[in-house]
Amino acid sequence: ARVAEAALDNAKLRADAAEIEAAAALNVQKRKQDQELSFMKQQNELTVSLAKEMAEIESKQFVDVVGALGPDTIKAIACAEQDLKEKLIKGLGIKSTLITDGNSPINLFNTAQGLIGAGPPSRRTGRSGGGR
């Protein structure tokens, strides 16, 4: 009977040890996942912060350029011939623009083709809008 009791006690101790080991492994895994999650959150917050700061910088740069040019220069660019517009805009370091008087509709599909080098957008002579 003592041998059976000793074997039973030994089995209980082994089961307790296995349970402790499993709990420790689970605790380590949980801590690892918590650390990874915390790192990802911090990384995402930094990415969002950087994007906001870059947007603010670009916005300020645009406002500064428009302010430096003034309304007369912008009007001259809008009214200039295509070649002159391109030279003026390239000289300002602007990579892409869309300048309109606000009265005519814009076909963005043709505009996009011109931007990607698929050829210049087709130009219509005359204005749309019925009786203008």
Side-chain angles (χ1 to χ4, degrees), residues 28-124:
V28 167
Q29 184 67 23
K30 183 179 182 321
R31 285 186 179 180
K32 182 180 176 184
Q33 288 175 345
D34 289 345
Q35 289 296 321
E36 288 174 356
L37 181 61
S38 176
F39 175 76
M40 290 174 65
K41 282 182 179 179
Q42 289 175 350
Q43 199 171 26
N44 289 340
E45 288 170 0
L46 287 173
T47 301
V48 168
S49 176
L50 177 65
K52 284 181 180 179
E53 289 181 28
M54 292 301 295
E56 287 177 24
I57 290 169
E58 289 178 16
S59 176
K60 183 181 181 321
Q61 180 184 9
F62 178 78
V63 169
D64 290 347
V65 168
V66 170
L69 291 176
D72 294 335
T73 306
I74 293 173
K75 183 177 179 184
I77 291 172
C79 295
E81 291 297 320
Q82 187 64 29
D83 293 340
L84 183 58
K85 282 183 192 180
E86 289 176 13
K87 288 178 185 175
L88 287 169
I89 289 170
K90 284 181 183 176
L92 295 170
I94 298 173
K95 294 180 182 160
S96 65
T97 60
L98 180 62
I99 301 173
T100 178
D101 60 3
N103 292 323
S104 303
I106 300 168
N107 183 339
L108 294 178
F109 292 109
N110 288 341
T111 302
Q113 286 178 349
L115 292 174
I116 60 173
S122 61
R123 291 188 171 183
R124 285 192 273 169

